[in-house]
Amino acid sequence: MENDEVILLGFWPSYFATRVKVALAEKGIEYKYKEEEDMLSGNKSPLLQKMNPIHRKIPVLIHNGKPVCESLVAVEYIDEVWKDRAPLLPSDPYERSQARFWADYTGKKLYEFGRSLWTTKRGELLGGKKDFIDSLKLLELEALGDKPYFGGESFGFVDIATIGFYSWFYVYETFGNFSIEAECPKLVAWGKRCMQRESVSKSLPDRHKIYELIVEFRKKYGVE
């Protein structure tokens, strides 16, 4: 695997692309990164359309010329191909199934409810805000609990699936006018713990840059 060509097509603020970045970093895999999408223009490069003709969206992991689409599929692929390095998924079948369940949950619920906070006019936020907070509380209570990481003592699959949202907490709080730490202190403590890992701190985008992008997005599409 030493001479493998690994390329990641991504979009810098994307929580989904962040998943793949962190997984690659955890495994110590060198790769080339290509910025392939523009949120404000909607432009998609010919390379992205060729490598993901079905959905035409990032992230796409390209391993020796072969594309692997969808973030969680790519993370599992990385875990299986570079299995000689620290595993990302639990070895126990039941624990593995639970990890997949919660990773899927974050990708659907946190994405859907979180997105509603910054794509909705300020006066219309009430329902979406409650849904988002409830989804965070459920994740904290049922999946994280009192453990340092979602899988227990070691950083793993669900942490990788979820940590990209941590960079967006500032956006959610600012437009939703609430404190995630006040609502979910264990979840915020988990995020800070993850940020102490080099694989995370070097992969996550700056929260203020994301906020500036969203402000620009809201102005362009008249969401105020």
Side-chain angles (χ1 to χ4, degrees):
M1 297 289 177
E2 292 299 320
N3 297 318
D4 284 2
E5 181 186 52
V6 181
I7 300 169
L8 174 61
L9 310 185
F11 175 44
W12 67 268
S14 167
Y15 8 70
F16 300 119
T18 296
R19 290 170 165 176
V20 187
K21 289 180 182 178
V22 174
L24 289 167
E26 279 289 315
K27 292 281 188 174
I29 301 163
E30 292 186 7
Y31 67 98
K32 295 178 184 176
Y33 176 75
K34 293 188 177 182
E35 192 74 12
E36 291 292 339
E37 199 165 302
D38 188 331
M39 183 178 185
L40 295 174
S41 71
N43 292 337
K44 300 176 188 292
S45 76
L47 178 62
L48 175 59
Q49 296 182 63
K50 177 184 176 182
M51 289 295 164
N52 189 356
I54 307 301
H55 298 300
R56 298 191 300 167
K57 64 181 183 181
I58 56 92
V60 180
L61 179 73
I62 306 172
H63 183 207
N64 293 331
K66 296 179 180 179
V68 180
C69 305
E70 298 296 314
S71 60
L72 293 181
V73 175
V75 172
E76 288 206 43
Y77 178 84
I78 290 165
D79 201 27
E80 290 172 6
V81 171
W82 289 275
K83 57 187 175 184
D84 57 323
R85 308 183 190 188
L88 305 178
L89 273 159
S91 57
D92 178 79
Y94 180 74
E95 289 181 6
R96 197 158 57 242
S97 74
Q98 295 307 292
R100 287 178 174 134
F101 173 86
W102 286 111
D104 180 70
Y105 174 89
T106 64
K108 289 177 179 174
K109 296 300 183 182
L110 296 195
Y111 170 72
E112 176 189 347
F113 296 142
R115 182 179 172 82
S116 72
L117 293 179
W118 55 267
T119 58
T120 305
K121 293 183 178 181
R122 293 180 189 272
E124 303 169 2
L125 274 175
L126 193 58
K129 177 177 172 179
K130 183 181 184 304
D131 287 339
F132 181 70
I133 293 173
D134 287 348
S135 69
L136 286 180
K137 286 184 174 181
L138 192 150
L139 182 68
E140 180 184 70
L141 177 65
E142 299 293 340
L144 181 62
D146 294 319
K147 303 186 298 292
Y149 299 105
F150 283 99
E153 294 298 318
S154 58
F155 181 86
F157 189 68
V158 183
D159 304 290
I160 290 171
T162 311
I163 193 58
F165 291 94
Y166 184 71
S167 290
W168 284 75
F169 278 10
Y170 180 68
V171 167
Y172 302 145
E173 290 176 321
T174 304
F175 290 109
N177 192 29
F178 67 100
S179 164
I180 293 177
E181 189 163 21
E183 300 285 352
C184 302
K186 292 178 183 178
L187 197 60
V188 171
W190 160 84
K192 292 177 180 177
R193 193 175 301 118
C194 290
M195 285 295 287
Q196 294 173 9
R197 302 180 70 84
E198 188 174 325
S199 64
V200 175
S201 62
K202 289 191 173 182
S203 300
L204 263 62
D206 180 83
R207 60 178 186 162
H208 295 290
K209 288 184 179 179
I210 296 176
Y211 174 75
E212 290 168 5
L213 177 71
I214 297 306
V215 169
E216 196 175 346
F217 173 89
R218 287 169 66 91
K219 284 180 180 176
K220 179 172 181 178
Y221 292 99
V223 185
E224 285 301 334

